[in-house]
Amino acid sequence: MKSIAKIISLKVVVLFLFYSCANHGQLTYVTKLPKSLKENSGIATYTKDSAWFIEDSGNDDVITQVDYEGNVLRELKVKNAKNHDWEDLTEDKKGNLYIGDFGNNEIDRKNLVIYKLPNPELESGE
């Protein structure tokens, strides 16, 4: 009887996960990204007017701000960091930006790192 109860509980949880999201499957087209961004691998937003992007390995060590019309607003060089294989981007409640340099397709990297940057919205330079 306990195993049947567990199965029923699991089914209820799965059904709740699939049907609880009010916007499930509803995507909104925002804009085309600029052609200069060839291999985006991370995105973070601070305002409702623009987003920050990073690109995957083989690209420059920069973060790029793009508005929702697809225009590049700013590019900031990330000093003291090398884009070995940037894979993700996020921000915290204090406005810091984090770049996850932990791409490891060949499973041979030993230098996995997360870079912490100040809020790029407030930066006047690189």
Side-chain angles (χ1 to χ4, degrees), residues 66-80:
V66 177
D67 68 15
Y68 292 143
E69 299 297 318
N71 303 305
V72 173
L73 301 177
R74 289 175 67 190
E75 283 190 339
L76 296 176
K77 170 99 172 113
V78 180
K79 294 182 177 180
N80 302 319

Side-chain angles (χ1 to χ4, degrees), residues 42-53:
I43 183 173
T45 57
Y46 286 90
T47 69
K48 57 184 174 182
D49 300 321
S50 66
W52 289 89
F53 292 86

Side-chain angles (χ1 to χ4, degrees), residues 86-112:
W86 290 0
E87 292 294 339
D88 206 357
L89 189 65
T90 191
E91 74 280 350
D92 66 18
K93 291 179 182 177
K94 294 181 180 180
N96 298 302
L97 189 67
Y98 298 87
I99 299 173
D101 188 1
F102 38 64
N104 195 10
N105 294 345
E106 303 298 322
I107 311 171
D108 59 356
R109 282 190 62 193
K110 304 272 189 249
N111 60 340
L112 308 177

